[in-house]
Amino acid sequence: MIIFFVDQNLKNLPLSEILDIEKLHNVDKPIELANGLPNECYISPDYLAHEREKVFFNKWTVVGVASSIPKPGDVRPHNLLGIPLILIRDKNMKVRVFHNVCSHRGFKLLDKPCNLKNVIRCPYHSWSYNFDGKLVATPHIGGLNNHQSSDFNKSKSNLKEVKTKVWMDIIFVNINSNEINFDEYIEPLENRWSKFINKKDQNFLVHSNDYGYFNLEVKCNWKFAIENYCESYHLPTIHPELNKISNINDHYHIQGLPNRFAGQGSKKYEQLMKGNKKFDTFSNWDKRMLKNSEYIALFPNVMIGLHIDHFYVFWLEPLSMNKTKEHMQMYYIGNESANGNELKDLRKENSRFWRDVMLEDINAIEGMQEGRSSPVYNGGNFSPIMDQPTHQFHKWIANNLI
Ligand code: FES
Ligand SMILES: [Fe+2]
């Protein structure tokens, strides 16, 4: 059984009673002097209530990918840190997200993924909503066989929609509707990547149906996955094989400004090949950077990998303080590369390659979780050279909390 983030017994203590605020201020110091986030951010259940609100609900947070609901009427429930949501593809092919709760007596509407014909029907008393969230049927509301009531204003009981945006197939939601407009939010990253892909190229991304998805459950706080992803410092120790092909020296740091993303890039990416078969490539990729690949964590919970011949979205579903589900979604350029028979083996190999890398990382991130129970650790220090992107993520968290 999954124990979700929100423990009803939490007293909602002010942050200053949970941790030493001074320690959060220390995170924001120049890297040589800064400490990392204090232990409470990884082990204290009381801290969770704050992180949930300030780091997830106030921000653009990832809840899935659009290609997991490809057809009109496809629906999928998702639990975001205790909040039940419905992801749905409406009749105009638009992806929408609603709160997964009936406006009548509050029954949770949807339990498992499925395809719906016309309405989302509540299993309790059969109130029904169309795919725009509009309440369209209220059986027997006015007494047996009377489906209307003059005292009831249907239009006030539609489903509650969540501010949503799909970008590169990734579904982002802003639960509290208070973050800046998504286009503005993503602009710095789009500008950075304009040398690789332009807006038109984004449309050529196709999710692979056969080797396009896997997930991993890890016994650690979600933040460790992000921190680990941002740095190449651990390459020689955790990924000795990968380090032979893409050496630590061939990597560079990426620090997004304003502070919304961080990560690393490699200058030694080699396209996969079998015989003379290769995946199709992005057509507008800068010819001087054919071997560049970039790995970016867009805060809070998605890690993306961009290569000339494939793209992946590795997004995190925090299940509890020390449990996280990692979802890996893989994309290729055009239908042939993503789903054609010819390249099936290559897709299989690519998926296996990334899975192996991510499995190697699990030891590292679970080990950090265990270390965090030590009372003598205070958030530790950063290497001023190697840990810049990790520091950037810590600063983002600390600043959002304060
Ligand atoms: S709770 Fe949904 S119809 Fe009554
Ligand atoms: Fe790694």
Side-chain angles (χ1 to χ4, degrees):
M1 198 185 94
I2 291 164
I3 299 157
F4 283 107
F5 241 49
V6 201
D7 180 344
Q8 303 304 335
N9 300 320
L10 290 185
K11 292 177 285 294
N12 249 332
L13 292 173
L15 195 58
S16 56
E17 288 181 32
I18 300 166
L19 50 79
D20 180 356
I21 298 287
E22 202 44 43
K23 287 186 181 172
L24 289 182
H25 286 291
N26 278 345
V27 174
D28 206 28
K29 288 182 177 163
I31 193 164
E32 310 75 41
L33 306 171
N35 290 127
L37 291 167
N39 285 2
E40 289 83 355
C41 300
Y42 302 86
I43 60 173
S44 155
D46 289 308
Y47 162 83
L48 287 181
H50 292 268
E51 187 172 86
R52 190 174 173 256
E53 202 59 33
K54 294 181 176 161
V55 169
F56 285 92
F57 298 169
N58 282 349
K59 301 287 156 190
W60 284 110
T61 295
V62 175
V63 292
V65 295
S67 51
S68 72
I69 42 171
K71 298 186 298 298
D74 280 349
V75 281
R76 190 170 265 283
H78 180 72
N79 190 309
L80 176 60
L81 312 175
I83 293 200
L85 300 172
I86 298 177
L87 320 181
I88 184 166
R89 176 84 64 174
D90 76 11
K91 293 198 166 170
N92 299 317
M93 293 304 280
K94 185 177 168 198
V95 169
R96 311 174 78 138
V97 178
F98 296 103
H99 286 276
N100 189 359
V101 60
C102 180
S103 59
H104 177 220
R105 302 300 308 136
F107 197 87
K108 187 173 118 183
L109 292 165
L110 191 80
D111 221 19
K112 49 179 186 305
C114 61
N115 180 268
L116 299 173
K117 288 274 160 305
N118 284 308
V119 291
I120 307 167
R121 191 182 67 81
C122 177
Y124 200 1
H125 314 95
S126 282
W127 284 24
S128 299
Y129 307 85
N130 71 12
F131 297 167
D132 300 338
K134 198 169 157 211
L135 178 60
V136 289
T138 51
H140 313 293
I141 190 173
L144 194 61
N145 294 327
N146 187 354
H147 307 315
Q148 310 290 338
S149 164
S150 52
D151 299 329
F152 176 70
N153 183 348
K154 251 194 207 154
S155 69
K156 293 213 164 113
S157 289
N158 296 330
L159 291 184
K160 300 289 174 285
E161 189 159 8
V162 179
K163 198 169 154 189
T164 302
K165 178 77 187 189
V166 176
W167 177 79
M168 307 270 277
D169 203 49
I170 313 169
I171 307 173
F172 291 85
V173 295
N174 175 212
I175 296 287
N176 288 343
S177 285
N178 55 355
E179 181 53 293
I180 57 166
N181 178 313
F182 188 83
D183 293 342
E184 194 184 324
Y185 177 82
I186 206 68
E187 203 183 339
L189 180 55
E190 278 194 332
N191 286 343
R192 174 177 185 90
W193 276 358
S194 61
K195 54 187 180 284
F196 303 129
I197 50 167
N198 58 32
K199 274 210 193 285
K200 237 163 103 207
D201 291 331
Q202 291 180 14
N203 300 325
F204 293 111
L205 287 175
V206 181
H207 190 270
S208 160
N209 292 329
D210 45 17
Y211 295 102
Y213 177 73
F214 62 84
N215 64 61
L216 302 166
E217 259 192 44
V218 291
K219 293 194 279 302
C220 70
N221 188 271
W222 66 277
K223 292 191 288 301
F224 287 128
I226 299 284
E227 297 172 16
N228 175 69
Y229 190 77
C230 285
E231 49 117 323
S232 52
Y233 196 1
H234 69 273
L235 256 171
T237 42
I238 305 293
H239 311 291
E241 287 308 309
L242 178 60
N243 191 50
K244 282 183 201 156
I245 354 170
S246 181
N247 189 271
I248 185 168
N249 288 325
D250 304 320
H251 283 73
Y252 53 93
H253 293 147
I254 298 168
Q255 294 187 270
L257 285 174
N259 188 9
R260 278 170 210 159
F261 63 88
Q264 49 169 315
S266 160
K267 291 185 237 163
K268 280 279 172 68
Y269 176 67
E270 288 293 344
Q271 272 185 261
L272 269 183
M273 262 181 105
K274 254 207 169 122
N276 56 359
K277 284 187 231 154
K278 276 196 214 175
F279 295 121
D280 286 339
T281 55
F282 285 112
S283 48
N284 292 306
W285 198 277
D286 190 323
K287 300 282 173 286
R288 292 160 302 182
M289 304 176 95
L290 294 176
K291 294 200 169 189
N292 282 59
S293 55
E294 295 204 338
Y295 307 93
I296 278 174
L298 182 58
F299 311 145
N301 67 328
V302 64
M303 299 163 277
I304 41 195
L306 180 65
H307 313 78
I308 191 166
D309 63 348
H310 73 286
F311 174 70
Y312 69 72
V313 176
F314 191 42
W315 66 279
L316 301 175
E317 179 183 1
L319 299 177
S320 70
M321 198 61 189
N322 53 12
K323 217 176 250 179
T324 303
K325 190 166 180 180
E326 303 181 324
H327 299 265
M328 178 71 162
Q329 310 277 0
M330 302 188 65
Y331 301 80
Y332 295 90
I333 297 98
N335 232 330
E336 208 33 55
S337 292
N339 290 307
N341 250 340
E342 282 249 293
L343 295 162
K344 193 170 178 161
D345 287 349
L346 220 49
R347 287 194 295 277
K348 186 176 179 184
E349 196 178 318
N350 199 27
S351 165
R352 193 187 310 129
F353 172 81
W354 284 116
R355 195 187 162 88
D356 288 348
V357 171
M358 279 143 190
L359 284 170
E360 287 172 346
D361 281 321
I362 290 183
N363 288 332
I365 61 182
E366 290 187 345
M368 286 202 283
Q369 182 71 43
E370 294 191 16
R372 283 291 179 157
S373 300
S374 167
V376 299
Y377 188 77
N378 69 350
N381 321 105
F382 297 105
S383 151
I385 307 300
M386 305 303 277
D387 286 326
Q388 286 163 1
T390 309
H391 181 223
Q392 190 163 339
F393 173 60
H394 279 217
K395 284 202 288 190
W396 184 82
I397 296 278
N399 289 329
N400 282 313
L401 290 170
I402 294 170

